[in-house]
């Protein structure tokens, strides 16, 4: 059973925008924080943005001012609005949901920034 369903990745030119969405299954209870991570070829997975249950958010320095994370608590959905995209943003983006017993991960969605 897929627990986190991601959508919105794709190919975009430098300077363009994309919006990622991640919907958590109703079977996941008591989600505290949700976030987005990314992994580029040959690199480790890194945190992009995270939003907690109170709405507080954290961003990687490389995306501050360009990316915005938001969350719909009723729909158990997290969004990542990505603006002014750069080639170095190219990676597989993974959704993450934190609960007390464990973390859940999405299957990943490819974002490619290229002219």
């Amino acid at each position: 059973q897929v627990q986190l369903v991601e959508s919105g990745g794709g190919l975009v030119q430098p300077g363009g925008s994309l919006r990622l969405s991640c919907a958590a299954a109703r079977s996941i209870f008591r989600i505290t924080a949700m976030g987005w991570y990314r992994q580029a070829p040959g690199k480790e997975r890194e945190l992009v943005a995270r939003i907690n249950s109170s709405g507080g958010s954290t961003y990687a320095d490389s995306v501050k001012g360009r990316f915005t994370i938001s969350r719909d608590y009723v729909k158990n959905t997290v969004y990542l609005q990505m603006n002014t995209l750069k080639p170095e943003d190219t990676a597989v983006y993974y959704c993450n949901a934190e609960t007390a017993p464990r973390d859940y991960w999405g299957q990943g969605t490819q974002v490619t920034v290229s002219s």
Side-chain angles (χ1 to χ4, degrees):
Q1 180 183 3
V2 178
Q3 305 284 2
L4 297 175
V5 179
E6 300 156 340
S7 61
L11 173 64
V12 64
Q13 292 186 343
S17 298
L18 283 175
R19 187 189 193 216
L20 305 183
S21 299
C22 172
R26 294 187 177 186
S27 57
I28 302 179
F29 295 107
R30 298 177 183 170
I31 295 175
T32 52
M34 296 187 76
W36 292 93
Y37 291 70
R38 68 186 180 188
Q39 187 167 19
K43 295 187 176 182
E44 294 186 354
R45 190 175 296 189
E46 62 175 358
L47 173 68
V48 177
R50 178 181 179 272
I51 185 166
N52 62 28
S53 56
S54 301
S57 56
T58 303
Y59 295 92
D61 288 342
S62 59
V63 307
K64 284 181 181 177
R66 300 189 296 123
F67 291 11
T68 302
I69 190 168
S70 60
R71 185 173 169 184
D72 186 325
Y73 293 88
V74 174
K75 296 181 179 179
N76 254 3
T77 300
V78 66
Y79 306 94
L80 185 67
Q81 178 66 43
M82 304 185 293
N83 298 327
T84 320
L85 283 160
K86 304 176 181 180
E88 51 264 43
D89 294 318
T90 296
V92 177
Y93 284 68
Y94 296 91
C95 177
N96 170 266
E98 298 175 23
T99 70
R102 57 165 288 188
D103 279 14
Y104 293 83
W105 291 92
Q107 76 281 5
T109 184
Q110 177 70 46
V111 171
T112 302
V113 184
S114 175
S115 56

